[in-house]
Amino acid sequence: MSTHPAVEMRKIVKRFGSVTANDQVDFTAERGEIHALLGENGAGKSTMMCMLSGVYRATEGEIRIQGRPVRIRSPKEAAELGIGMVFQNFRLVQTLTAAENMVLGEKGGFWRGAGWMKRKTKEIAELAERFGLGFPVDRPIWQLSVGEQQRVEIVKTLYRGADIIILDEPTSVLTPGEAEQLFATLRQMRAEGKTILITTHKMKEVMSVADRISVMRKGRMIASLAREETDERQLAQLMVGKEVVLQRKEREPAGMEPLLALRGLKALGHGGRKALDGLDLEVRKGEIVGIAGVAGNGQKELAEVLNGLHPWSGGEIEFDGAVWKRASALEAIESGIAHIPENRMKSGLAGSLAIADNLLSKSYRGPERSRLGLLRGGANRRWAQSLVEQFDVRTPSLDTPVRMLSGGNQQKLLFAREISMRPKLMVAVHPTQGLDVGAADSVHRMLMELRASGSGVLLISEDLDEILQLSDRVLVVFGGRIIGEMAHDEADRQRIGLLMTGSAGAEEAAAGRAGAEEALRQPDQPDPDGKEAIV
Amino acid sequence: MDFITLLLAAAIASGTPLLIATLGGILSERAGIIQLGTEGIMLMGAVSACLVYIRSGSLWAALAAVVLVSAALGLVHAFMTVTLRANHIVSGLAMTLFGAGLSAYLGKPVAGQPLPGAFPRLELAFLDGVPFLGPIFGRLDWFTWISFALALGLHLLIHRTSWGLHLRAMGDNPATADVMGIPVQAARYAYVVGGAVLIGLAGANMLLVYSPTWNEGMTAGRGWIAVALIIFARWNPLRALLCAYFFGALDSIGFRIQLEGSLIPSYFLKMIPYVVTILVLMYLGWRGRGKPSGSPESLGLPYIREQRL
C-alpha cells in the first residue's frame, strides 16, 4: 500500500474562452475518505471534477492519481485510472435497460445474445445488492424514478471498477429520504476502501456525510478542513465570503384586497389524468401564499393554467376583478401575471439567445421597447444594461448567450425580466431550486420586495423551509386539491409533512380546512390599518 | 397462379428496393444522422450501375461502382453533418437535388438502352410445383435473397451485439456513449457511409432487377417512401421488411387494377402508395400522441463534447 493521496490536483487552471473557471486550484483527497467540495453555483467545483473525469482538459496544472502524474484526456482514460463520475444530469441512455447501460463500452466479445445478457444482469444485480442499491436491472431507464437512475449511475461506476467515485450535486434530485439512503451507501462504499468526492452547496449534507470539506469560491480554493474542526456557520461564511443570516424576517402584515380567486378549478394533466380536481385558492394583494406538496400533485398544471399555458376543464378563475374565459399566455402577461417556471432553461429562457434578447422577450410589444413593429435598439440596450446592474446579473456582456451563465445568474436574469413587467401576481415555481445560498437569498429578497410593493405571490416549492420562511399563508396540495391551510405563524412542519403525503386521511384534511378558515376569520396578526372592516 | 400469390410476388419485387433503402436509412438514423438524401443516392446508384454495366459488361464492376459512388456521397453527408455540424435536413435535401441532377446528365447516353444481361437467379428446383412458395421463392434473384439476409442481419446487429448497443446508445445519447468510451464521431461516419452504400444498392436493385433500363428520375419518389418507411418501421429492420412489402403490394395493386381495365385514370392509381404514405403517417401521428415514437432521441442533433447545454 502506498501512502500517496488518492487524488492530487496542483495549480489547476481552466479557461473557457475568456472566462476563467478555475484559477490555480490545489485539491487533495486521501484514500478511503468522503470528501465534499463545497461552494456556490459557478464556484468551479463541477469544472474541477470534470477535469478529473476527463470531460474537460485542464488548461494548466498537474494531476496525480495514487501518486502517479497522469494526463486525463477522455472519460475512457479516467475510467482506466479507476475514476468514475456520477453527473448531475445522468449520462444514461433512456431506451436501453439499466444492465445494457452498464455493459456499454465493455471490451471483449462481439455477440451480446440473451445468455450473455442474462449472466451480466445477474452479476450487476449482485453488485448492486452488496452496496444496498436496489433497482430493476432489466427495465429501460425511462421507466425508472430519478432516485433509481442515480443508483444505476453509482453501480455503473462500481461495475467499471472505479476506486475514486465523483458525485456532482448528488442530492439535488433526491427527496430527503432518498438522500439519507444515498449517504448510507456512500459510507458503505467508504468502508470498502473507495474514495468518494461529492460536490454540493448544501451545508447540512456536508456536515452529515463528509470526512473532509474543501470550500471553493469564484474559481479559487478557499480552505480545506476536517469536519470536526468546523461548523455550518463558518462554512457558510467561507462559501459566500460574507455572513448570511438565515432567519425569518420581521414583516408588515399582508394585504387584504383580493387579487386572485380560483373556485373549483379542474384541469387534465399529461395523458388525460386528473391533475387539478376542484382546487380552491385565493391570493390577496401584498401577500405570499406558499403551496407545499409532493411533486406531481397538480402544482405544475396550476402554474401553467395561471400563466395561460394550459386549458382548464372546469371551475372559475377570477383575477384582478375579471373572470377568465380562455387560456392565453399573452392575456395572462398583459393582465399582469409573471412566471418563474420550474425549469428555467426549458420554459423560462432561450439558452442560445443573448441576455438582452431574453430580457426583451416579454416586453418587446410595448411602445417603450418598439415602434411600428421595429425594436428600439439603443434604448433597449441601455434598458437591459440597467436591469442587469439592478439585479446584479454577473455576465461578461449583454450579448453573452444565456446558457453560458451560472444557474444563479440565469435565475436573477429571469427575475429581472419578470419584475420589470411590474406584475400584479408572481407565480414562482421552485424559484431557488439548484441555487446556492447567496443566489437563493437574493431570490427571497426579490419575492419579499414584490410583496412589499403590493403584488401577490404564489410560491410553489418543495422546499418546506423556504415556504415557511416566506409565506403569509401555507396551503398544502394533494391530488389536485388544497387539503390544508395554515397562517404564517401557526404553520407547523410536522402537520404540513403529514398532509403532504395524503396519509393524514379525509378527517385530518377536513380539520385542516376548518382550522384554516378559523384562522382567516380571526387573523393572529394585529391589523393596524383596520382592513378587517373592508373584508 | 392465383391473385394473392401474384400480389405477393409483385410485392416482393417492387418492395425490395424500398427495403434496402429503408435499411440504409435505419443504419444512418440509428446513429443519430437524418438521411434525406435517399432519393438522390438511389438515382446515383442506379445510373452508375447502368453506365458501368453497359460499358464494361461486368456485373461485379457495376456493383463495385455503385458501392464507390454511394460511399462517396455518404462521406460527403457525414462530413457535412458530423464534422461541420450542418443541418441534417439541408444537407440531405442538397444530396437529393444533386443526385437527381447529376444522374440525369450522366445517364443521357444510356437512357432507354437495354442491359447486357439479367441479374442471376437462385433456382430452387425442389420448390417446383409447391403451391404458393414455388411461384414466390422458386426463381428469386440473388439480390432479393441478400436483402432478406440483410434485414435479419441488421436486426441481429442492432439488438444482439456490442456494436448494436453502441449504435443505439450514440443515437439516443451521444454524450453518454462518449463518456463510455465509444468513438462517437468515427462510428457516425461509418454508419452514415454504410447506410448510403445500402441506399445506393437499392437504386442499383431497381435498375438491375426491377426495371432494367435507365430513365431519368426512374426511382419516382421511392427514396421518399423509404424515408417514411423508416418511421413506420420504427427504426427496426425486421419491421422494415413487412412495411416495405406492404408498400410494394400497394405499388403493384395500382398496376393490377389498371390491367383489369378500370375506368380510374392511371395517374390516380400511381398515386396510391403516396396517398397511403400520407394517411399512414397521419394515423401513426394521431395514435402516438404523447407517446415516444421509437425515434432515436438525438436524431438530427450535432454532438460537441465541451458544449454547455
Side-chain angles (χ1 to χ4, degrees):
Chain A
M1 281 270 295
S2 69
T3 51
H4 294 293
V7 178
E8 258 185 296
M9 299 172 84
R10 288 200 199 134
K11 301 216 176 306
I12 299 288
V13 177
K14 174 69 187 174
R15 293 192 196 93
F16 293 97
S18 60
V19 182
T20 305
N22 290 128
D23 191 9
Q24 302 278 338
V25 178
D26 291 323
F27 173 76
T28 306
E30 298 297 333
R31 182 173 314 189
E33 71 174 2
I34 300 181
H35 195 131
L37 204 47
L38 182 71
E40 299 194 316
N41 272 18
K45 307 162 293 200
S46 300
T47 314
M48 283 290 285
M49 293 299 108
C50 282
M51 280 184 278
L52 203 51
S53 63
V55 176
Y56 297 158
R57 285 186 220 182
T59 316
E60 288 168 28
E62 190 194 13
I63 300 177
R64 285 165 183 261
I65 301 297
Q66 323 283 16
R68 222 156 36 89
V70 291
R71 264 168 205 286
I72 308 172
R73 279 172 299 232
S74 70
K76 199 174 170 182
E77 291 185 1
E80 280 159 12
L81 290 164
I83 301 170
M85 181 154 172
V86 175
F87 294 89
Q88 202 174 345
N89 307 314
F90 302 140
R91 300 291 171 89
L92 293 171
V93 182
Q94 296 287 319
T95 49
L96 300 186
T97 68
E100 281 174 332
N101 264 285
M102 288 186 207
V103 301
L104 196 59
E106 188 168 311
K107 287 216 181 60
F110 174 68
W111 192 248
R112 295 281 188 262
W116 188 90
M117 234 17 251
K118 207 170 186 172
R119 275 200 307 282
K120 287 290 171 186
T121 306
K122 191 159 166 265
E123 194 181 312
I124 289 160
E126 280 166 8
L127 181 68
E129 204 60 42
R130 203 171 96 209
F131 288 94
L133 291 159
F135 55 84
V137 184
D138 45 10
R139 273 221 247 128
I141 296 298
W142 60 270
Q143 294 180 356
L144 305 187
S145 75
V146 176
E148 285 173 328
Q149 293 189 19
Q150 187 179 57
R151 279 175 240 155
V152 175
E153 281 280 36
I154 295 172
V155 173
K156 192 166 89 178
T157 63
L158 293 170
Y159 178 75
R160 303 186 97 204
D163 288 316
I164 299 164
I165 293 153
I166 307 167
L167 297 109
D168 191 14
E169 302 279 355
T171 56
S172 60
V173 292
L174 302 182
T175 64
E178 285 176 322
E180 267 315 308
Q181 205 181 339
L182 170 69
F183 293 155
T185 303
L186 295 185
R187 291 188 193 105
Q188 168 82 27
M189 282 158 64
R190 175 180 60 189
E192 299 216 3
K194 310 280 184 195
T195 306
I196 292 148
L197 311 178
I198 63 174
T199 73
T200 182
H201 55 258
K202 294 182 187 163
M203 271 165 304
K204 283 197 183 110
E205 282 171 10
V206 167
M207 292 308 286
S208 79
V209 74
D211 301 312
R212 198 167 180 81
I213 299 141
S214 293
V215 185
M216 287 189 74
R217 187 171 75 219
K218 291 183 183 160
R220 290 168 183 276
M221 185 61 78
I222 302 299
S224 187
L225 308 152
R227 180 184 38 188
E228 299 83 47
E229 58 190 57
T230 186
D231 56 33
E232 282 190 32
R233 203 180 171 76
Q234 187 196 6
L235 289 175
Q237 210 172 331
L238 287 169
M239 218 167 117
V240 295
K242 57 181 187 259
E243 198 149 339
V244 221
V245 190
L246 301 161
Q247 277 165 9
R248 198 137 94 176
K249 289 152 196 123
E250 287 300 309
R251 54 169 71 197
E252 293 288 305
M256 279 295 167
E257 281 178 74
L259 178 65
L260 171 76
L262 306 179
R263 288 182 276 271
L265 192 66
K266 288 184 182 181
L268 297 179
H270 202 66
R273 122 199 106 76
K274 268 189 206 168
L276 298 181
D277 190 16
L279 182 131
D280 296 299
L281 162 83
E282 196 170 285
V283 181
R284 292 167 217 155
K285 291 181 183 169
E287 181 188 45
I288 299 183
V289 175
I291 306 267
V294 178
N297 275 294
Q299 294 97 319
K300 183 169 169 270
E301 287 79 7
L302 173 62
E304 285 181 357
V305 166
L306 287 177
N307 288 288
L309 300 170
H310 195 102
W312 66 96
S313 53
E316 196 178 51
I317 301 175
E318 188 180 338
F319 178 66
D320 203 23
V323 176
W324 283 13
K325 291 187 181 61
R326 62 194 175 104
S328 153
L330 183 58
E331 283 172 26
I333 293 170
E334 284 176 348
S335 64
I337 294 183
H339 187 202
I340 302 294
E342 181 175 6
N343 183 339
R344 56 184 162 264
M345 288 315 285
K346 203 168 157 199
S347 43
L349 298 165
S352 53
L353 289 190
I355 287 181
D357 296 332
N358 270 286
L359 283 171
L360 276 170
S361 57
K362 267 193 181 175
S363 53
Y364 65 91
R365 285 182 209 86
E368 287 170 27
R369 306 272 76 87
S370 60
R371 179 171 39 193
L372 302 171
L374 296 175
L375 290 172
R376 298 171 187 259
N380 289 349
R381 274 192 87 77
R382 284 192 296 280
W383 170 77
Q385 185 61 42
S386 73
L387 280 178
V388 163
E389 282 162 20
Q390 189 190 336
F391 286 86
D392 191 29
V393 182
R394 309 236 175 97
T395 165
S397 86
L398 283 180
D399 303 311
T400 307
V402 163
R403 66 157 191 275
M404 305 298 284
L405 300 182
S406 71
N409 281 311
Q410 288 170 354
Q411 196 74 334
K412 283 193 244 172
L413 186 72
L414 194 51
F415 267 93
R417 182 181 77 201
E418 298 298 318
I419 291 179
S420 73
M421 301 291 291
R422 299 181 208 293
K424 290 177 186 148
L425 174 73
M426 162 73 81
V427 181
V429 189
H430 308 320
T432 56
Q433 196 174 53
L435 299 191
D436 55 70
V437 183
D441 191 51
S442 45
V443 163
H444 289 169
R445 235 179 310 113
M446 287 187 276
L447 290 175
M448 291 304 285
E449 277 164 21
L450 272 173
R451 174 187 185 272
S453 69
S455 304
V457 175
L458 190 65
L459 171 65
I460 300 175
S461 176
E462 278 174 72
D463 183 348
L464 263 188
D465 289 318
E466 175 172 87
I467 288 200
L468 290 171
Q469 188 189 333
L470 296 175
S471 310
D472 297 296
R473 278 184 299 137
V474 179
L475 310 183
V476 182
V477 66
F478 182 78
R481 295 156 170 270
I482 302 296
I483 61 163
E485 174 163 348
M486 278 150 266
H488 174 63
D489 34 17
E490 59 159 27
D492 159 13
R493 267 183 97 73
Q494 262 77 41
R495 204 170 128 224
I496 296 177
L498 249 153
L499 285 167
M500 272 166 69
T501 62
S503 62
E507 67 281 358
E508 182 77 12
R513 209 178 282 164
E517 273 161 4
E518 206 174 290
L520 282 180
R521 261 179 258 117
Q522 301 168 331
D524 293 316
Q525 288 159 344
D527 197 350
D529 305 335
K531 275 184 189 154
E532 263 172 331
I534 304 169
V535 183
Chain B
M1 276 197 280
D2 62 300
F3 182 74
I4 298 287
T5 314
L6 265 178
L7 186 66
L8 268 176
I12 290 178
S14 69
T16 299
L18 289 177
L19 171 62
I20 301 172
T22 306
L23 292 176
I26 287 176
L27 264 191
S28 177
E29 299 210 346
R30 278 280 189 172
I33 307 295
I34 301 174
Q35 177 57 283
L36 292 188
T38 313
E39 180 85 358
I41 301 173
M42 278 178 82
L43 282 168
M44 284 302 290
V47 82
S48 39
C50 185
L51 279 170
V52 175
Y53 198 14
I54 287 179
R55 297 274 154 85
S56 72
S58 156
L59 191 58
W60 288 111
L63 288 174
V66 174
V67 170
L68 279 179
V69 166
S70 46
L73 290 171
L75 200 61
V76 173
H77 187 57
F79 180 67
M80 303 252 277
T81 53
V82 180
T83 303
L84 301 183
R85 298 175 204 130
N87 184 309
H88 297 188
I89 293 172
V90 173
S91 171
L93 290 178
M95 203 64 66
T96 282
L97 294 173
F98 170 78
L102 187 63
S103 65
Y105 172 72
L106 293 177
K108 274 220 172 87
V110 288
Q113 282 186 32
L115 296 179
F119 207 85
R121 292 169 187 282
L122 179 65
E123 308 273 353
L124 296 175
F126 65 90
L127 281 178
D128 281 348
V130 180
F132 194 65
L133 292 181
I136 296 178
F137 295 107
R139 284 174 49 79
L140 269 183
D141 60 282
W142 277 100
F143 220 138
T144 308
W145 282 110
I146 288 169
S147 74
F148 297 154
L150 262 176
L152 184 66
L154 286 184
H155 177 80
L156 292 177
L157 175 83
I158 290 174
H159 296 282
R160 287 280 182 274
T161 69
S162 57
W163 286 17
L165 204 55
H166 297 175
L167 177 61
R168 282 184 283 154
M170 84 178 87
D172 247 51
N173 192 337
T176 298
D178 193 17
V179 173
M180 298 301 273
I182 297 162
V184 174
Q185 309 293 61
R188 282 188 159 178
Y189 261 90
Y191 284 114
V192 172
V193 170
V197 167
L198 287 187
I199 294 168
L201 286 172
N205 176 274
M206 270 208 79
L207 180 99
L208 296 172
V209 179
Y210 187 65
S211 72
T213 44
W214 166 258
N215 297 303
E216 186 181 329
M218 66 179 287
T219 52
R222 281 183 180 75
W224 294 111
I225 293 207
V227 169
L229 282 176
I230 299 173
I231 302 167
F232 301 160
R234 291 209 250 127
W235 292 266
N236 179 324
L238 285 187
R239 226 178 274 139
L241 190 102
L242 296 178
C243 295
Y245 295 151
F246 174 67
F247 271 80
L250 289 174
D251 209 12
S252 38
I253 271 186
F255 196 59
R256 300 285 316 168
I257 296 176
Q258 210 177 318
L259 286 185
E260 305 283 323
S262 141
L263 293 174
I264 311 167
S266 68
Y267 294 100
F268 282 96
L269 297 174
K270 280 185 188 154
M271 272 183 224
I272 291 176
Y274 309 95
V275 172
V276 171
T277 303
I278 295 172
L279 291 178
V280 174
L281 267 182
M282 281 164 76
Y283 169 70
L284 287 181
W286 176 252
R287 201 189 56 177
R289 280 161 298 152
K291 274 188 247 158
S293 66
S295 150
E297 289 277 321
S298 300
L299 185 59
L301 302 176
Y303 170 59
I304 312 155
R305 191 181 276 174
E306 283 204 13
Q307 185 177 348
R308 288 177 75 167
L309 292 172

